């Protein structure tokens, strides 16, 4: 097997325990235990959903009142079990602690995505049959290559939380377009079903094409990066750099997933959910950038404190956007409530920190003769969008009482923000000691600052502190990792170049032609890259009489395979052919244009979703173009309408009929398209 490691040598029986690099199926970490529990819950959820679907069908079919009562009772039990299972799955998604670093005690925990679970897929029989039927070769000769592909997919179910694990997923992702070109014809389904479970709800989605497979692998790559970022040691600069990079890469992959796969039926990969997750990853990257700035310590200087205030305000602003996304319907019904709580807590926490920094700058520093008056005035004017009571920044800086009054207003607002963060955290069912300790310490620090600057002789001042303008010198940006484009070698390259030997092309079975040169002339010439093609065929030559045709591809000369050979290499084999001649094998390309595209069925929660993806050019003037090669058969729209009762939803476009005046650039959707909430 390729790309394997031997981590533990040999066991007591002398058997080697091999597994792929980047994969550790025997890991007993907290993260792996959570994934095992998630896989188990997914199986229980699909079992209950099948029972519910069967009970609902029986309820529709029966007219016996006693049977209906029994079915309704059973449905109530099944729905109750489903609610319990969904609650347990939400609890697993709320297990933030297992993804944190073991050294993490002084930072607020970060949120990591869980991996999507999938079922095993057996490529062996369908691929062998397709090779025999389509490529006219013995499928058993590719048994080892098929096994390597299956091993690679199996390894991707348990990737290690490292760059090697991401590279493993990227390697399989790079193989998928090659496998799709070889075996997945647009006109013929080979009977392979890919099942993936929703990361948040556990609802299974099943498809026969590779779109769901590709999208799910990309999602798991982003999930791995988020886990790597949350695991990093944020007490060291190196760990913070790793965390920033990981979250930015996670955001980049999620954005690639959002732009590339726009109709994925699994809700955890819907555009709305992906947009929220991208914001979450960038918010956590911005938080780590703030921690990196504060890691060496915040110098007690006016300009430095104001700069940190704006940085903290930026983190609070981004987390507020994340929280607003999480509480929108239907995202709030799928995302763990703990995630929304953490986002809201961080919004208040970092806003309070911003007010604390401004209060410290105003209360602890007075404008002295050696200070740069113009610089401080410029800094203060950039912190506020409006100044209280219409005062100028210079008036506030020079007036000690005014500085004290506004500084105290900021510290009061900081205290209120910390108390709000503690209140929201107190309502959370899942407690995290590290977060609670940080929130309490920040609250006590603000209370101490307030008591140090409070005098009993002073009257209570209710001046409101102005809002702080958010600003950052280092903005978190999406980053697409280079590992998403891994160069791989096609497992099935012996079938021939993909430009000719693919599932989309159809050709005749290999024909044996006897070449007998006349005066060293074979009667034809060769052209093209591999495989070489017969051109300028003399119709009176012996090869033509034996069945050779113009445009045939030569696949072997004698006993030598030449699918990958160039013209010069094939000519070298034919150069020394004697009068007895030599046998060659050729194939002819057949017309493979389909009369009607094949439907791609999706099963989501035991309900079939049918899509038909057709792109037709439409000419407003009714002129025929080369791309409009259609037949006068019944339109695909009428086909979809006749069969709409057989599928839960149908999305289809009609064939281009010049006699019809419909606007072909529009999408026709049946009335059943959005009835099922499982399909966004």
């Amino acid at each position: 097997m390729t790309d394997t490691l031997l981590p533990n040598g040999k066991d007591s029986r002398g058997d080697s325990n091999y597994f792929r690099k980047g994969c550790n199926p025997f890991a007993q970490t907290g993260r792996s235990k959570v994934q095992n529990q998630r896989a188990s819950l997914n199986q229980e959820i699909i079992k209950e959903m099948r029972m519910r679907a069967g009970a609902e069908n029986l309820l529709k079919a029966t007219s016996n009142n006693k049977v209906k009562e029994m079915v309704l009772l059973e449905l109530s039990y099944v729905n109750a079990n489903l609610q319990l299972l969904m609650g347990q799955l939400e609890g697993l998604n709320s297990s933030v602690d297992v993804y944190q670093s073991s050294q993490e005690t002084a930072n607020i925990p970060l949120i990591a995505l869980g991996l999507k679970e999938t079922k095993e897929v057996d490529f062996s029989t369908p691929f062998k049959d397709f090779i025999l039927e389509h490529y006219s070769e013995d499928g058993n000769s590719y048994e080892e290559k098929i096994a390597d592909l299956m091993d690679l997919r199996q390894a991707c179910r348990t990737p290690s939380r490292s760059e090697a694990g991401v590279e493993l997923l990227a390697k399989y992702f790079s193989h998928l377009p090659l496998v799709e070109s070889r075996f997945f014809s647009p006109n013929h389904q080979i009977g392979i079903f890919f099942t993936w479970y929703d990361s948040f709800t556990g609802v299974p989605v099943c498809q026969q094409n590779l779109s769901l497979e590709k999208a799910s692998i990309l999602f798991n790559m982003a999930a791995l990066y988020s886990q790597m970022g949350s695991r990093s040691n944020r007490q060291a600069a190196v760990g913070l750099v790793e965390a920033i990079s990981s979250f930015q890469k996670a955001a980049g992959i999620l954005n690639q997933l959002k732009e590339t796969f726009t109709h994925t039926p699994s809700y955890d990969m819907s555009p709305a959910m992906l947009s929220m997750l991208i914001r979450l990853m960038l918010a956590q990257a911005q938080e780590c950038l703030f921690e990196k700035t504060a890691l060496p310590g915040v110098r007690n200087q006016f300009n430095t404190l104001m700069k940190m205030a704006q940085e903290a305000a930026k983190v609070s602003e981004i987390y507020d956007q994340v929280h607003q996304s999480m509480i929108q319907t239907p995202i709030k019904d799928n995302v763990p409530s703990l995630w929304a709580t953490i986002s809201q807590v961080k919004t208040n926490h970092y806003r309070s920190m911003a007010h604390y920094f401004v209060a410290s700058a105003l209360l602890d520093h007075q404008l002295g003769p050696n200070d740069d008056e113009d610089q401080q005035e410029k800094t203060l004017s950039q912190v506020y969008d409006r100044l209280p009571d219409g005062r100028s920044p210079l008036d506030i800086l020079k007036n000690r009482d005014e500085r004290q009054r506004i500084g105290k207003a900021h510290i009061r607002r900081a205290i209120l923000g910390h108390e709000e963060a503690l209140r929201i955290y107190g309502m959370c069912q899942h407690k995290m000691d590290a977060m609670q300790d940080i929130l309490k310490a920040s609250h006590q620090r603000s209370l101490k600052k307030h008591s140090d600057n409070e005098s009993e002789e002073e009257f209570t001042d209710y001046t409101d502190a102005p809002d702080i303008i958010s600003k950052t010198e280092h903005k978190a940006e999406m980053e697409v990792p280079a590992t998403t484009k891994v160069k791989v070698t096609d497992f099935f390259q012996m079938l021939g170049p993909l430009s000719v030997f693919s599932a989309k092309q159809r050709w005749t079975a290999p024909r044996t032609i006897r070449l007998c040169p006349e005066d060293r002339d074979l009667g034809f010439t060769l052209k093209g890259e591999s495989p070489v093609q017969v051109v300028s065929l003399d119709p009176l030559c012996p090869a033509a009489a034996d069945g050779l045709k113009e445009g045939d591809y030569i696949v072997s000369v004698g006993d030598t395979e030449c699918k990958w050979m160039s013209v010069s290499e094939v000519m070298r084999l034919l150069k020394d052919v004697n009068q007895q001649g030599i046998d060659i094998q050729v194939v002819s390309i057949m017309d493979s244009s389909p009369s009607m595209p094949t439907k791609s069925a999706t099963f989501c929660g035991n309900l079939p979703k049918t899509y038909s993806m057709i792109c037709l050019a439409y000419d407003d003037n009714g002129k025929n173009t080369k791309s409009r090669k259609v037949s006068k058969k019944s339109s695909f729209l009428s086909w979809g309408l006749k069969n709409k009762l057989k599928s839960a939803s149908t999305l289809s476009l009609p064939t281009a009929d010049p006699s019809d005046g419909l606007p072909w650039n529009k999408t026709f959707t049946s009335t059943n398209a959005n009835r099922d909430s499982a399909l966004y």
Side-chain angles (χ1 to χ4, degrees):
M1 185 182 298
T2 58
D3 296 335
T4 53
L5 290 179
L6 185 60
N8 299 319
K10 297 184 178 181
D11 59 19
S12 58
R13 296 170 299 176
D15 296 331
S16 299
N17 295 324
Y18 286 96
F19 55 87
R20 286 181 178 271
K21 182 179 180 181
C23 166
N24 192 355
F26 305 114
Q28 293 299 320
T29 61
R31 181 184 69 101
S32 63
K33 292 177 181 178
V34 168
Q35 280 300 129
N36 291 335
Q37 294 175 25
R38 180 180 284 111
S40 174
L41 280 176
N42 287 335
Q43 295 297 326
E44 292 292 329
I45 289 173
I46 191 173
K47 177 182 175 182
E48 295 294 333
M49 292 188 70
R50 286 172 177 169
M51 292 179 63
R52 184 174 70 176
E56 289 174 347
N57 291 335
L58 179 58
L59 189 63
K60 295 176 183 177
T62 185
S63 58
N64 190 313
N65 292 331
K66 180 174 284 189
V67 173
K68 284 186 176 181
E69 291 179 2
M70 295 176 61
V71 173
L72 288 173
L73 180 61
E74 185 65 26
L75 270 176
S76 65
Y77 288 139
V78 172
N79 288 328
N81 289 338
L82 269 175
Q83 290 296 328
L84 290 174
L85 292 172
M86 294 290 187
Q88 294 178 30
L89 186 60
E90 181 180 350
L92 288 182
N93 289 327
S94 301
S95 302
V96 177
D97 295 338
V98 299
Y99 297 107
Q100 308 304 311
S101 171
S102 57
Q103 296 90 1
E104 202 62 69
T105 56
N107 296 94
I108 297 180
L110 299 172
I111 296 173
L113 301 178
L115 298 178
K116 288 176 68 69
E117 290 291 334
T118 182
K119 285 185 176 181
E120 292 187 19
V121 175
D122 186 5
F123 296 117
S124 180
T125 302
F127 278 14
K128 288 180 183 179
D129 293 344
F130 191 82
I131 290 173
L132 178 62
E133 175 189 349
H134 190 76
Y135 294 97
S136 301
E137 294 192 27
D138 184 11
N140 292 323
S141 60
Y142 292 89
E143 189 170 356
E144 184 177 351
K145 298 299 182 182
I146 297 174
D148 283 345
L149 177 63
M150 292 173 60
D151 289 341
L152 179 59
R153 187 184 189 276
Q154 182 66 18
C156 289
R157 298 180 65 185
T158 55
S160 59
R161 188 168 50 166
S162 62
E163 285 289 346
V166 176
E167 187 175 350
L168 176 70
L169 294 177
K171 183 177 180 181
Y172 179 63
F173 181 79
S174 299
H175 272 293
L176 289 178
L178 300 175
V179 173
E180 185 175 29
S181 299
R182 295 288 188 190
F183 298 101
F184 290 84
S185 169
N187 313 319
H188 175 66
Q189 300 290 352
I190 61 176
I192 296 179
F193 290 87
F194 298 94
T195 302
W196 288 84
Y197 296 91
D198 191 294
S199 178
F200 299 110
T201 63
V203 175
V205 179
C206 182
Q207 276 191 351
Q208 291 194 69
N209 58 42
L210 283 173
S211 297
L212 178 64
E213 185 88 347
K214 295 176 185 176
S216 299
I217 292 296
L218 276 181
F219 185 93
N220 278 356
M221 289 174 65
L224 268 188
Y225 272 121
S226 71
Q227 294 176 14
M228 291 164 58
S230 61
R231 182 203 58 180
S232 301
N233 180 16
R234 289 149 61 200
Q235 296 300 309
V238 176
L240 282 170
V241 171
E242 180 186 353
I244 294 167
S245 177
S246 296
F247 286 122
Q248 291 184 150
K249 289 177 180 177
I253 293 177
L254 290 172
N255 186 65
Q256 179 183 353
L257 173 58
K258 176 185 173 184
E259 293 180 350
T260 307
F261 302 94
T262 56
H263 297 288
T264 307
S266 183
Y267 189 76
D268 56 354
M269 296 186 288
S270 66
M273 181 66 77
L274 290 176
S275 297
M276 185 277 293
L277 293 178
I278 291 170
R279 292 192 187 100
L280 175 61
M281 295 299 113
L282 290 178
Q284 296 187 140
Q286 193 67 50
E287 181 181 4
C288 293
L289 282 167
F290 172 79
E291 292 175 351
K292 182 184 176 185
T293 305
L295 183 63
V298 181
R299 299 178 64 183
N300 192 13
Q301 295 179 351
F302 183 85
N303 293 333
T304 303
L305 290 171
M306 288 295 186
K307 172 187 172 184
M308 293 301 298
Q310 290 187 295
E311 293 281 356
K314 185 66 176 180
V315 178
S316 173
E317 179 185 63
I318 298 177
Y319 269 114
D320 185 49
Q321 296 173 0
V322 173
H323 178 254
Q324 294 302 320
S325 299
M326 287 184 178
I327 61 177
Q328 300 297 320
T329 305
I331 294 179
K332 68 177 182 180
D333 299 327
N334 295 277
V335 171
S337 58
L338 177 65
W339 289 18
T341 300
I342 291 177
S343 300
Q344 193 174 9
V345 166
K346 289 186 177 182
T347 299
N348 288 278
H349 173 70
Y350 283 104
R351 184 185 295 130
S352 300
M353 288 185 66
H355 286 288
Y356 176 83
F357 284 128
V358 173
S360 299
L362 293 175
L363 295 174
D364 298 347
H365 298 275
Q366 301 297 327
L367 186 61
N370 297 327
D371 294 330
D372 190 341
E373 182 178 304
D374 294 338
Q375 181 63 34
Q376 289 196 14
E377 181 184 7
K378 179 181 178 181
T379 301
L380 187 61
S381 64
Q382 292 176 346
V383 170
Y384 298 136
D385 56 351
R386 60 173 183 82
L387 291 171
D389 301 330
R391 296 181 179 274
S392 67
L394 194 59
D395 292 340
I396 298 175
L397 291 173
K398 289 184 175 181
N399 190 328
R400 176 183 176 85
D401 292 338
E402 194 67 22
R403 290 175 70 117
Q404 291 285 323
R405 186 171 70 89
I406 297 177
K408 290 178 182 178
H410 278 291
I411 201 65
R412 285 196 300 271
R413 191 164 175 183
I415 292 173
L416 290 175
H418 287 308
E419 290 175 350
E420 178 66 11
L422 284 168
R423 183 190 70 81
I424 296 171
Y425 173 78
M427 295 187 298
C428 179
Q429 296 180 355
H430 188 86
K431 303 298 182 183
M432 291 171 286
D433 295 337
M435 176 178 282
Q436 186 174 9
D437 294 342
I438 293 170
L439 295 178
K440 287 183 177 180
S442 300
H443 183 227
Q444 292 298 323
R445 183 178 59 184
S446 296
L447 287 175
K448 185 177 184 304
K449 176 69 70 175
H450 182 267
S451 62
D452 291 344
N453 292 273
E454 189 70 19
S455 174
E456 296 181 358
E457 300 177 357
E458 294 181 354
F459 291 103
T460 303
D461 190 357
Y462 295 101
T463 302
D464 291 332
D467 293 331
I468 299 171
I469 298 176
S470 63
K471 182 182 177 181
T472 180
E473 294 182 356
H474 306 283
K475 184 180 178 181
E477 301 284 353
M478 289 183 290
E479 178 183 345
V480 179
T483 51
T484 55
K485 298 179 181 179
V486 178
K487 291 185 178 180
V488 295
T489 302
D490 186 5
F491 282 128
F492 306 95
Q493 63 177 346
M494 294 305 297
L495 291 173
L498 265 174
S499 58
V500 176
F501 299 99
S502 66
K504 296 180 180 179
Q505 299 279 7
R506 295 180 64 243
W507 53 88
T508 62
R511 308 190 312 275
T512 301
I513 305 296
R514 187 71 177 178
L515 295 185
C516 297
E518 295 180 345
D519 298 330
R520 303 184 63 84
D521 182 15
L522 296 174
F524 60 86
T525 58
L526 303 177
K527 76 165 188 177
E529 302 295 333
S530 53
V532 297
Q533 196 173 14
V534 175
V535 294
S536 303
L537 176 65
D538 182 1
L540 301 179
C541 70
D546 200 17
L548 187 64
K549 299 177 182 179
E550 183 89 11
D552 281 351
Y553 290 95
I554 300 179
V555 296
S556 68
V557 176
D559 296 330
T560 305
E561 290 278 346
C562 59
K563 293 178 180 178
W564 287 94
M565 289 186 179
S566 62
V567 172
S568 59
E569 292 173 323
V570 175
M571 289 300 296
R572 194 175 300 117
L573 294 176
L574 299 175
K575 181 180 179 181
D576 299 326
V577 176
N578 53 30
Q579 295 297 327
Q580 295 179 354
I582 189 173
D583 288 335
I584 65 170
Q585 283 194 324
V586 297
V587 295
S588 302
I589 295 293
M590 300 171 59
D591 183 16
S592 58
S593 57
S595 59
M596 182 180 296
T598 305
K599 296 181 295 177
S600 174
T602 301
F603 296 92
C604 183
N606 273 358
L607 294 179
K609 311 289 182 182
T610 305
Y611 303 88
S612 191
M613 301 179 183
I614 315 171
C615 296
L616 297 176
Y618 177 71
D619 188 358
D620 293 333
N621 299 325
K623 297 179 181 180
N624 292 328
T625 61
K626 293 182 179 179
S627 60
R628 292 182 56 193
K629 296 181 180 179
V630 297
S631 60
K632 293 292 184 177
K633 297 182 179 180
S634 59
S635 68
F636 194 75
L637 178 63
S638 63
W639 183 92
L641 293 175
K642 291 178 182 178
N643 293 274
K644 65 180 181 179
L645 297 178
K646 297 181 181 179
S647 60
S649 66
T650 302
L651 177 65
S652 59
L653 290 177
T655 56
D657 191 347
S659 63
D660 206 336
L662 291 175
W664 305 115
N665 58 340
K666 294 183 180 180
T667 302
F668 292 83
T669 309
S670 72
T671 57
N672 297 333
N674 297 317
R675 288 185 179 178
D676 191 348
S677 60
L679 180 67
Y680 58 87

